[in-house]
Amino acid sequence: MITTDLLIIGAGPTGLFAVFEAGLLKIKCHIIDALPQAGGQLQELYPKKPIFDIPGYPTINAGELVDNLMEQIKQFQPGFTLAETAETLTKIDDDWFEVVTNKGTIHRARAVAIAGGLGTFSPRKPEHLENLDKFEENGVEYFVKEPEHFRNKRVVIAGGGDSALDWSIFLSNVASEVTLIHRRNEFRGALDSVEKVQALKDAGKLKLITPAEVTALHGDTHLQSITVDAGGETRDIEADFFIPLFGLTPKLGDLANWGLEIEKNAIKVNNALDYQTNIEGVYAVGDINTYPGKLKLILCGFHEATLMCQSVYNRMNPGKKFVLKYTTVSGVDGFDGSRKEAEKAVVKKID
């Protein structure tokens, strides 16, 4: 059993920043996430995509933002339960909650913060392929979790967005052969990525087939080849892996059965106070919540996480007054014994 002060469901940017704000208040955190690594959709879907609305950063790649957040919270030593989904929530008494994952891991906490972004994600599958399920995990993959898995393999990627472009670029240096297929000639990804794909194609390091569509999969126990329809002309391409990257469909999943007040696939919260849900002690911050005037922006999630942590402190310390101090004045004391503070000004007498 894992016991903590604040249990955070979701390791995206809002969930990670909540660890920092909680740490300033001496609140210990543990995070659950269904993905095998921290960072949420920023890390899973578009780690190379630039973000332009993070204060103080004219531009920062999604993956770099995640790395910075992980470095920022390292001093507060959060625990992680990754590649597991929070399945049930039970209120044990007025002070404790119990959350059990799909793998049976039990977590107990004084408060729960749901920071699950848009919820759990299911890949959009190319349903026109009749034997798709036969090859799932036998050549058909919807995520690139471990790039080395594709080392020296023949890989076909389908899609026209950032994920398809980014992974085509990355795997061109890993796989023996990469073919990118898109049903249109135009791509919806970052211009820089499109230009890199063009350069790889010109250099013979990547094959590009547009406009085209994968119409059939072939093989015995594992994928061996695919059929491509390009403008009415069909041809077979040898392939060890087929990765269709058509986006993800968000779902609340098991959270929808927790007794939370739901509105349009989002969790209603009290934004006038602390982003608490209709269950006292359970909060929702970031893209997964809704309230009048809600904006689905990372910086808004940071703000919500900050106020939420203040409420958790008051819940854990009833009657105890907390005096907010700027970190520029008070410094930051990590749970690992580290201390960060501004350099002291030199004191000198003026005659």
Side-chain angles (χ1 to χ4, degrees), residues 54-325:
I54 302 299
Y57 289 93
T59 179
I60 184 170
N61 286 347
E64 185 183 356
L65 175 61
V66 172
D67 291 342
N68 289 352
L69 287 166
M70 289 294 287
E71 179 65 26
Q72 186 179 29
I73 67 174
K74 184 170 64 175
Q75 60 197 314
F76 296 122
Q77 302 177 313
F80 287 90
T81 298
L82 299 175
E84 297 187 30
T85 304
E87 204 164 66
T88 62
L89 169 73
T90 305
K91 192 169 186 178
I92 300 175
D93 53 39
D94 290 340
D95 294 322
W96 290 93
F97 293 91
E98 182 176 280
V99 173
V100 182
T101 70
N102 61 319
K103 295 185 179 179
T105 308
I106 301 172
H107 305 75
R108 287 191 175 178
R110 302 282 299 277
V112 175
I114 303 170
L118 298 175
T120 58
F121 291 93
S122 298
R124 291 194 177 98
K125 302 180 180 183
E127 297 178 354
H128 63 282
L129 297 176
E130 293 182 359
N131 56 351
L132 183 65
D133 57 344
K134 170 185 174 181
F135 294 106
E136 289 178 341
E137 298 186 4
N138 291 304
V140 172
E141 304 285 346
Y142 300 107
F143 302 98
V144 181
K145 296 180 180 178
E146 178 47 67
E148 283 298 314
H149 187 55
F150 304 95
R151 173 71 64 180
N152 299 323
K153 301 296 184 181
R154 298 164 299 183
V155 178
V156 175
I157 296 175
D162 284 305
S163 293
L165 292 166
D166 288 346
W167 283 120
S168 294
I169 295 166
F170 188 92
L171 292 178
S172 67
N173 294 315
V174 176
S176 62
E177 181 179 286
V178 174
T179 302
L180 175 59
I181 297 173
H182 183 38
R183 60 183 178 176
R184 298 187 181 92
N185 291 319
E186 300 79 18
F187 288 83
R188 293 172 287 103
L191 179 60
D192 178 64
S193 298
V194 175
E195 292 175 345
K196 285 180 179 178
V197 167
Q198 180 69 60
L200 289 169
K201 174 182 178 292
D202 294 343
K205 295 183 178 181
L206 182 150
K207 296 180 180 179
L208 182 65
I209 306 176
T210 60
E213 187 176 22
V214 176
T215 57
L217 308 175
H218 310 285
D220 295 325
T221 58
H222 196 281
L223 183 69
Q224 295 176 318
S225 66
I226 66 168
T227 298
V228 179
D229 183 335
E233 296 184 7
T234 60
R235 57 171 154 157
D236 289 344
I237 299 175
E238 293 183 344
D240 300 303
F241 290 97
F242 172 50
I243 310 175
L245 298 173
F246 300 145
L248 300 174
T249 302
K251 297 179 181 178
L252 282 179
D254 293 307
L255 299 179
N257 304 317
W258 287 6
L260 299 164
E261 190 174 355
I262 307 296
E263 181 180 284
K264 295 181 180 179
N265 208 42
I267 302 171
K268 290 187 69 174
V269 295
N270 175 8
N271 68 305
L273 186 61
D274 53 13
Y275 304 97
Q276 199 161 190
T277 69
N278 58 302
I279 301 176
E280 186 179 352
V282 177
Y283 304 78
V285 291
D287 287 354
I288 203 164
N289 75 15
T290 185
Y291 52 83
K294 169 69 179 181
L295 291 176
K296 293 182 182 293
L297 296 173
I298 294 174
L299 62 90
C300 293
F302 290 166
H303 162 79
E304 294 166 9
T306 302
L307 296 187
M308 176 271 295
C309 288
Q310 296 288 324
S311 179
V312 172
Y313 176 88
N314 292 330
R315 176 181 172 80
M316 292 177 55
N317 302 278
K320 185 176 180 180
K321 184 174 177 59
F322 173 74
V323 180
L324 177 66
K325 295 181 180 179

